[in-house]
Amino acid sequence: MNKESVCAACSCERELDQEQLVDRLNEILVEYKFKDGGLIPALQIAQGLFGYLPEHVLRHIATEMNKPYSEVAGVVGFYSFFSTQPRGENVIKVCLGTACYVRGGKQVLDSIKKELSIDVGETTSDKVFTLEVARCFGACGLAPAIMINDDVHQRVKPARIKQIIAPYYANKLEEA
Amino acid sequence: MINLTIDNTPFRVNKGTTVLEACKQAGINIPTLCYLEKIQAIGACRVCLVEIDGIKDLVASCVMPASEGMKIHTNNNRVREARKVVVELLLSEHEGDCKTCDRNEDCELQNIAHDLGIKELRYEGAKAPRYQDHSTVGLVRNSAKCISCRRCVTVCTETQSVSALFPQSRGFKTTIGPAFGHGLNTVTCVQCGQCAAVCPVGAISENDQTAEVWAALDNPALTVVVQTAPAIRAALGECFGMEPGTLVTGKMTTALRRMGFDAIFDTNFSADLTIMEEGTELLTRLKKALVDGEQVALPMFTSCSPGWIQFMEYYYPDMLPNLSTCKSPQQMMGAMVKTYYARKIGKKPEEIFMVSIMPCTAKKFEAARAEMNSSGAQDVDIVLTTRELGKMITQAGLDFQSLEDSKMDAPLGLGSGAADIFANTGGVMEAALRTAYELVTGRELPFENLHVAPVAGLEGIKEASIKIEGTLPAWSFLEGVTAKVAVVHSLGNARKLVERIRAGEAEYHFVEVMTCPGGCISGGGQPRITTDEVRKKRIAAIYAEDEGKTLRKSHENEAVAKLYEEFLGAPLGHLSHELLHTKYYAKERI
């Protein structure tokens, strides 16, 4: 899996306009078009490019890959990794796997919800954060864990949330 | 052969048999919900659980292969209790509004709950996600009644190759439908209704339009005319507990008359008319190709089946010229009733309310197509399915089984045996050949009992070729030509054949396509559930109806001949062109 495909909140493609993004997608689709099992990697890459999977992109993929649109949408809806809503620059994933849940993952989640004033699956109005829940990053020994983009934060305490997310705001300020 | 015991009794079954099939052969009916013979066995609903010695958990019998020495228990307390719990859990999330449900007393879930002796609901849970889809004129969906058995998905995807329906989201939130909860009008749904035909519950049904017909019947200002398709007479009896394949033409006619229809006409009449127009169209195309050396679209495809028409408009718009320009028999009847018949009885088209009884949900869509108004009004006002007619007869308080037989009205109530067989796969082709061959050679079609055996039956793609010899002078250009024809039913098979034709792997002059498996006799609006056994019985009844008539060829229908003489002129003439032919429109695939 290349970096482009996993980095949902990647900003490196942001300068490209929609048309250029579709051109880019078409170049990539050539590789996956006729491959069995090519739909999921194609969707991952598309999400990497667009930041999320807008309907027009899904329709485009369905047409190009000669797959029923209902099926493409069904696959997108099945996997929680795919998002059809625009996402923030940073995606926070709170682990609610068994170990994290038992050690207070739920309280961590509540604290983030309160701090950002958003619910699970939502994005802050300034588009800086999107909040998601996940099941196990393989960091059970250091539960509860959260991920912000590719960074794993371990033994998170609800009271430390403000402190943890602050640097990501700082990035935003630097860019500005 | 495999030796096994079922409930302590030894049985022998063929290798490759599933446990469910083995039990059926042993005379044991295991309840099923998601299972659909020959179409789907996925073990999803868990209702068909059985116990097998040596396997710790209960197993879904529909997907479990039978094996040597297997000891199966279908009826012990553990099995009974487990099936009960499975069904109770389904009921706990089901919108259990049986009293007002379209499927009340015709529901597989309700029947199984009853058979398992479920008298109270022990579990109370969240209800399934609820959304309703009224976006098409043919079909209505209600996700709150859906049990996610996936029968509709499999039929739509595999049998029909349309894939309008797919499971969306996951887990408890799963709904079956087009992308993102959109309506069927946003996908390439052709409204064939095969999803509704296999739905075990009330989640997919035809759009009920009976109220509009009652209102028209109550309106003294309207002359209400009804036509009935050939497939109805072999299936309507099932709505009243009669055996599949019981012919009820006479009782149905009496029922319609007693319900207050002013004139009862036979779609068979316009099927004969279709043969006259379509046969002439085919011969004209052949003449253009063989004599005039013109570029014409061949093979010519039949155009009676509205699901197939939409399928072509979506998937093969470049081949629309291959479709016969003939309207379907339903629409020809509508156009003739509101012009020819209207004139006879001194009415304006808008003073006539035209009702069709069809085995089909796509016919509702066809009648509503904007261009189907050549009489000046919409040619067919309302289309009811066989099931809707069954309900109306019950509402009218008629004891269907005890009704006497009666005949349809003149002049548009006369139909030939060739028209009867429009109801099943191979029938339109046979009817066309009976007429075209005789027209060209002056002799009867040289097949035993006039049946073109190679294109009959339930095989998916069928072919036949007939060498034309001894032509009449007018048709001498066809002398020695071997006419090649093909017959397909279900859109999945149609797609396969079209792809073969496009790839140059197959060549035909004429192809009959019916959208539904088996043809109209198992259309989306017929009584449920249609298995191959039921299909065969209905087809046998249709052939019996054909063979029981003296009039068995469309061109011998006197009422049709009179229509040409008094009104239309000749097949493919100016008026025919205006009233009986249509255009098709490429549609964007969405």
Side-chain angles (χ1 to χ4, degrees):
Chain A
M1 202 181 288
N2 61 29
K3 189 155 195 303
E4 203 174 40
S5 69
V6 291
C7 181
C10 173
S11 60
C12 56
E13 303 283 355
R14 282 291 149 82
E15 293 86 51
L16 298 176
D17 64 23
Q18 286 290 312
E19 214 169 289
Q20 288 169 308
L21 284 172
V22 173
D23 288 344
R24 192 69 202 281
L25 178 64
N26 284 338
E27 283 166 32
I28 293 155
L29 282 177
V30 172
E31 193 190 330
Y32 293 99
K33 234 178 195 175
F34 303 109
K35 237 187 213 171
D36 271 352
L39 178 61
I40 288 178
L43 289 169
Q44 283 178 305
I45 291 168
Q47 180 156 304
L49 278 172
F50 291 84
Y52 70 111
L53 293 168
E55 252 193 273
H56 76 91
V57 170
L58 293 177
R59 284 185 187 275
H60 184 75
I61 292 173
T63 312
E64 285 297 308
M65 298 189 76
N66 201 20
K67 291 214 177 285
Y69 181 51
S70 298
E71 183 185 331
V72 172
V75 169
V76 169
F78 187 84
Y79 294 103
S80 58
F81 176 84
F82 293 125
S83 171
T84 53
Q85 299 299 321
R87 305 210 293 180
E89 279 169 44
N90 303 288
V91 177
I92 306 177
K93 290 181 177 157
V94 180
C95 181
L96 290 181
T98 311
C100 289
Y101 192 89
V102 169
R103 301 197 57 171
K106 184 77 184 354
Q107 287 73 19
V108 172
L109 178 65
D110 289 341
S111 166
I112 299 174
K113 280 188 194 173
K114 208 173 145 201
E115 180 62 34
L116 299 177
S117 306
I118 53 171
D119 211 335
V120 174
E122 292 179 353
T123 299
T124 53
S125 54
D126 58 8
K127 303 270 189 291
V128 178
F129 290 107
T130 293
L131 179 59
E132 291 177 355
V133 295
R135 297 276 182 274
C136 198
F137 312 136
C140 312
L142 300 162
I146 68 169
M147 274 179 86
I148 303 181
N149 308 329
D150 289 339
D151 313 328
V152 180
H153 299 264
Q154 296 153 340
R155 287 190 177 141
V156 177
K157 291 193 170 59
R160 276 181 51 224
I161 288 302
K162 212 180 187 119
Q163 201 185 325
I164 290 171
I165 65 171
Y168 298 90
Y169 270 120
N171 290 347
K172 171 94 178 160
L173 289 174
E174 263 170 43
E175 273 173 35
Chain B
M1 294 295 269
I2 289 170
N3 298 292
L4 42 73
T5 68
I6 304 173
D7 300 333
N8 303 318
T9 311
F11 288 99
R12 279 162 69 83
V13 296
N14 284 326
K15 220 175 161 200
T17 308
T18 63
V19 169
L20 180 74
E21 288 160 349
C23 292
K24 199 175 175 195
Q25 286 168 29
I28 295 163
N29 283 324
I30 292 178
T32 55
L33 273 175
C34 66
Y35 175 77
L36 206 54
E37 196 180 348
K38 289 187 195 158
I39 294 175
Q40 172 169 285
I42 53 171
C45 74
R46 317 308 291 175
V47 174
C48 67
L49 292 173
V50 295
E51 188 178 72
I52 296 174
D53 282 2
I55 301 177
K56 201 176 92 201
D57 294 328
L58 299 179
V59 296
S61 58
C62 69
V63 286
M64 185 73 184
S67 63
E68 184 62 35
M70 202 175 239
K71 289 190 170 63
I72 303 159
H73 305 279
T74 71
N75 181 31
N76 60 28
N77 203 42
R78 185 180 172 213
V79 168
R80 280 193 301 269
E81 191 54 31
R83 287 181 190 162
K84 217 169 156 179
V85 168
V86 166
V87 174
E88 279 178 281
L89 288 171
L90 280 174
L91 291 171
S92 77
E93 61 182 65
H94 186 70
E95 186 186 83
D97 209 356
C98 292
K99 299 185 292 296
T100 54
C101 180
D102 181 54
R103 293 298 294 273
N104 191 18
E105 298 194 343
D106 174 34
C107 170
E108 293 182 47
L109 180 63
Q110 195 185 44
N111 288 345
I112 287 176
H114 176 266
D115 293 349
L116 292 173
I118 295 171
K119 296 273 165 80
E120 57 170 339
L121 299 175
R122 288 179 292 177
Y123 311 111
E124 211 173 300
K127 296 289 175 194
R130 187 193 171 109
Y131 81 94
Q132 292 192 12
D133 178 5
H134 294 272
S135 67
T136 62
V137 65
L139 295 161
V140 171
R141 299 185 307 123
N142 181 353
S143 72
K145 290 176 180 172
C146 176
I147 56 166
S148 296
C149 72
R150 287 161 173 73
R151 282 185 187 179
C152 56
V153 176
T154 304
V155 168
C156 190
T157 307
E158 287 171 26
T159 310
Q160 301 297 58
S161 79
V162 168
S163 306
L165 302 168
F166 202 80
Q168 306 293 337
S169 193
R170 73 188 291 178
F172 185 73
K173 287 183 190 152
T174 304
T175 56
I176 307 291
F180 306 115
H182 293 332
L184 283 173
N185 64 341
T186 66
V187 284
T188 55
C189 171
V190 300
Q191 300 181 43
C192 71
Q194 282 301 304
C195 52
V198 297
C199 182
V201 292
I204 315 181
S205 276
E206 68 273 41
N207 172 25
D208 185 339
Q209 295 178 291
T210 54
E212 288 161 78
V213 176
W214 283 129
L217 286 167
D218 280 351
N219 184 345
L222 288 174
T223 300
V224 188
V225 179
V226 65
Q227 61 169 322
T228 69
I232 315 297
R233 60 206 65 181
L236 179 64
E238 291 165 47
C239 297
F240 306 97
M242 295 159 97
E243 264 297 295
T246 310
L247 280 171
V248 295
T249 323
K251 290 184 194 301
M252 171 182 74
T253 309
T254 306
L256 291 167
R257 198 163 280 130
R258 299 262 292 263
M259 284 157 72
F261 288 98
D262 296 301
I264 299 149
F265 292 148
D266 202 340
T267 312
N268 281 10
F269 171 87
S270 45
D272 284 332
L273 185 58
T274 303
I275 290 297
M276 298 309 292
E277 292 292 326
E278 199 163 319
T280 313
E281 185 186 359
L282 176 65
L283 292 171
T284 308
R285 285 195 196 205
L286 290 175
K287 183 164 184 284
K288 278 184 184 166
L290 297 171
V291 181
D292 311 333
E294 270 182 52
Q295 281 284 337
V296 285
L298 285 171
M300 187 175 90
F301 291 112
T302 57
S303 56
C304 307
S305 190
W308 157 242
I309 297 295
Q310 270 218 93
F311 182 80
M312 287 293 274
E313 290 178 323
Y314 277 129
Y315 288 100
Y316 300 104
D318 59 320
M319 288 179 83
L320 292 177
N322 290 71
L323 288 170
S324 161
T325 60
C326 286
K327 285 182 184 173
S328 71
Q330 155 171 285
Q331 293 305 136
M332 285 200 184
M333 176 62 87
M336 288 302 98
V337 164
K338 292 204 178 179
T339 55
Y340 175 63
Y341 179 70
R343 222 180 275 182
K344 271 187 186 296
I345 60 167
K347 297 272 177 193
K348 293 188 196 118
E350 54 276 14
E351 290 168 331
I352 295 180
F353 192 84
M354 180 78 224
V355 179
S356 297
I357 314 295
M358 293 285 142
C360 183
T361 47
K363 286 280 172 195
K364 287 177 185 268
F365 164 80
E366 180 186 60
R369 287 181 76 123
E371 67 273 19
M372 292 296 176
N373 61 351
S374 45
S375 64
Q378 203 67 15
D379 296 333
V380 173
D381 293 284
I382 291 286
V383 178
L384 301 178
T385 61
T386 315
R387 297 189 293 258
E388 286 171 279
L389 175 62
K391 273 183 243 166
M392 285 186 79
I393 292 171
T394 305
Q395 286 164 18
L398 295 168
D399 178 9
F400 189 76
Q401 296 217 34
S402 66
L403 291 176
E404 73 282 10
D405 286 352
S406 64
K407 292 220 174 309
M408 295 191 197
D409 295 313
L412 309 182
L414 180 69
S416 74
D420 280 307
I421 59 174
F422 264 59
N424 50 257
T425 171
V428 175
M429 180 57 70
E430 183 171 315
L433 291 176
R434 284 184 194 176
T435 288
Y437 190 88
E438 201 164 317
L439 205 66
V440 168
T441 65
R443 299 188 312 276
E444 203 166 66
L445 184 67
F447 281 93
E448 196 190 335
N449 209 4
L450 292 178
H451 293 316
V452 187
V455 298
L458 290 179
E459 203 190 314
I461 301 177
K462 298 165 284 188
E463 295 173 323
S465 48
I466 299 153
K467 191 158 188 198
I468 305 169
E469 285 169 321
T471 51
L472 294 172
W475 304 100
S476 58
F477 67 92
L478 289 170
E479 184 64 38
V481 170
T482 300
K484 284 193 257 176
V485 301
V487 169
V488 287
H489 54 121
S490 89
L491 294 173
N493 287 324
R495 188 190 289 280
K496 279 184 211 154
L497 189 80
V498 170
E499 288 295 339
R500 259 195 241 165
I501 292 168
R502 291 169 77 90
E505 293 162 10
E507 222 174 61
Y508 306 102
H509 297 104
F510 191 31
V511 179
E512 174 207 291
V513 183
M514 293 194 189
T515 302
C516 294
C520 314
I521 47 100
S522 58
Q526 292 281 62
R528 297 163 171 118
I529 286 284
T530 306
T531 59
D532 274 357
E533 202 184 324
V534 173
R535 283 187 185 95
K536 283 177 192 158
K537 285 182 183 171
R538 290 181 190 155
I539 290 174
I542 291 292
Y543 280 123
E545 182 89 332
D546 164 38
E547 286 165 10
K549 286 184 179 170
T550 357
L551 173 60
R552 293 187 63 204
K553 299 166 195 163
S554 300
H555 58 280
E556 289 176 358
N557 184 328
E558 289 161 22
V560 170
K562 206 166 166 206
L563 169 69
Y564 278 113
E565 194 186 301
E566 290 181 358
F567 185 62
L568 288 173
L572 292 194
H574 175 69
L575 212 45
S576 287
H577 185 77
E578 296 274 298
L579 298 172
L580 305 180
H581 291 257
T582 188
K583 285 198 183 93
Y584 308 109
Y585 301 90
K587 288 182 181 171
E588 199 188 338
R589 252 168 77 191
I590 35 176

